[in-house]
Amino acid sequence: MITISAMQTHHLDEVSQLTVVEEQQAFVGTMQEILANVNDEVHPHVILHQQQVVGFFLIDTHYQYGYDFCLQDGLGLRAFFIDAAQQAKGFGTRAVESLSAHLSLNYPRFKSIYLTVNCENPIAYGCYQKAGFFDTGKLYHGGPSGPQHIMIMHF
């Protein structure tokens, strides 16, 4: 069973051990880089399997201020990943499928979530699409690793 939870202090040891495979490093970054983005507007979340942290992501409540494609009722999904040792088990897709319910409950004033996924990352793109995100048909060109698909999911 996959569950999503806001990251708590007791998750920090497990979160600090999370890694991605080398090819994904350019798309996600290191945990130290990711955690440096956490503030009052950017909230860390963990993906749990049987109470073990298997993944991580950030919810950006001010995404619309940095990305003109995001509407005012939109959140941003950032730095979503499953630990390298836990990949290819379906955890990513199941976590994304659980996202709508989690966001509806915890972010009730928002109605949609956006993300950008690198055009060179077809596995992540397929996971998001399979789990309910739709490609807007537009590309974001402001990322450090090349063009990215802009995707949205309403909840």
Side-chain angles (χ1 to χ4, degrees), residues 7-27:
M7 184 179 137
Q8 304 295 319
T9 306
H10 70 273
H11 293 127
L12 192 54
D13 285 341
E14 285 184 272
V15 166
S16 67
Q17 301 299 313
L18 296 174
T19 61
V20 295
V21 293
E22 191 172 330
E23 308 85 70
Q24 295 170 327
Q25 193 82 37
F27 306 134

Side-chain angles (χ1 to χ4, degrees), residues 21 23-24 27 80-82 87-93 96 115 117-131 149 151:
V21 293
E23 308 85 70
Q24 295 170 327
F27 306 134
F80 180 95
F81 74 95
I82 300 297
Q87 291 185 5
K89 298 178 181 179
F91 294 159
T93 300
V96 176
L115 63 83
V117 60
N118 195 284
C119 294
E120 305 275 327
N121 194 353
I123 293 173
Y125 178 86
C127 171
Y128 294 130
Q129 194 171 45
K130 182 178 175 182
H149 298 281
M151 302 183 84

Side-chain angles (χ1 to χ4, degrees), residues 20 34 38 44-46 50 64 69-70 76 80 91-93 96 105-106 108-109 115 124 138 140 149:
V20 295
I34 295 167
V38 173
H45 293 262
V46 292
Q50 299 177 348
Q64 70 271 20
F69 56 80
C70 180
F80 180 95
F91 294 159
T93 300
V96 176
L105 182 65
N106 293 286
R109 77 174 188 89
L115 63 83
K138 298 177 182 171
Y140 173 69
H149 298 281

